[in-house]
Amino acid sequence: MNILVALCAVGAEKILGNEIKHYGYKLHSNAPGRVSFFGDDDALFKCNLCLRTADRIYLQLAEYEALDFDSLYDGTYAVSWQDYLKKDSRIVVDKVRSYKSKLNSEHSIQGIIHKAIYSKLGDVWHMKTMPETGFQSDIRVYVDSNKVFVLLDLSGLPLHKRGYRVDGGTAPLRETTAAALLQEMMWRRKTPLHDPFCGSGTIPIEATLYAFNVAPGFGRRFALENLPFYDEKKAEEIRCQEAEKIRTDVEVRITGSDIDPKAIERSKKNAEYACVTAGRALKSIGISRHIPRPDFIQSDFSELAAPYETGLLLMNPPYGERLGDEKEADELYKRMDCLWTEFPDWDLGIITSNENFMKSFNHNANKIKKIKAGNLDTSFYIYQRAK
């Protein structure tokens, strides 16, 4: 049994944990922005392919106490690195985080870890220098209360890079964050969903993938595929198993709008790419079925009216700290009252980094969830109104 570590937006740990449990894996522990869990060998690939709210998946190779640099070196050297890396791997200790520990110089920790890995591999393979001509393998290290966790990256590019976003536009919402917002709202496929500030279409596209049960990683590759313990045959079996789970027999009503015609064009292209990728996954198992695309229209949000009695408005308004000044944000949020009026029995979910949002919008949220999206501290305002 392996210990895996999944990273996520700070504030989304519970959502990610529930998603991990949904696939039958037992949780181990969590910390801000990461969830540890037990997984079999299949989980190495399956979690990269299937988890919607995880930003990265790591394999934990070591956990030990280190009060000085000698014990830090020895603990890392003890790992059987030859089982996890190739002789031509280019090894990068890409990030170190130290918290409440005697070893607090992250730069020094990084150097010691790097030295210990190369020393072990050199001793095992009888090589004085490593060629470093192959794929890059990233190592991440956490030192929490003097306990060291050494992790090997299995994802490569962050998992929010699904592969369908041809053009993200300005300040796009991460795909994994959009997926977390859908889970936070407990959205179900039968509920109509509309994003009145669709931008690059991320929220409607993530809702579409979820509604039709399409694994988010079908359109990309993972760092795991370049590691010596990667089981290509098993990975292909998992891909086929997940392709068989794609549903095309459900009716969904997922839409998006934006005042910018370029945003609509961008959203349609991204949605087309995502749905074509899902279609290819179906074709790989001999099924030729069409994945319905979400609908996008050019419209100012003030011109919208509820097409159904109940539903969900889920949005990431494009002003404030991300794209405009404080005055613009205040004016926008005041104007958004029309959505409250025109969609009287719809739930609302609004993510923004503007601390004065609720005052400007002039409606108190039922719940406010803090989420750190990338480097941006945001709040997710949840309004539950559907009857």
Side-chain angles (χ1 to χ4, degrees), residues 76 81 85 91 93 113-122 139:
T76 299
W81 290 100
L85 300 170
I91 303 162
V93 183
I113 296 290
H114 196 266
K115 180 180 179 181
I117 297 171
Y118 273 107
S119 294
K120 179 61 172 283
L121 292 176
I139 309 296

Side-chain angles (χ1 to χ4, degrees), residues 7 28 98 138 143 152 176 243 245 376:
L7 302 191
H28 175 46
S98 179
D138 291 334
V143 186
L152 173 63
T176 47
K245 295 178 183 178
L376 202 59

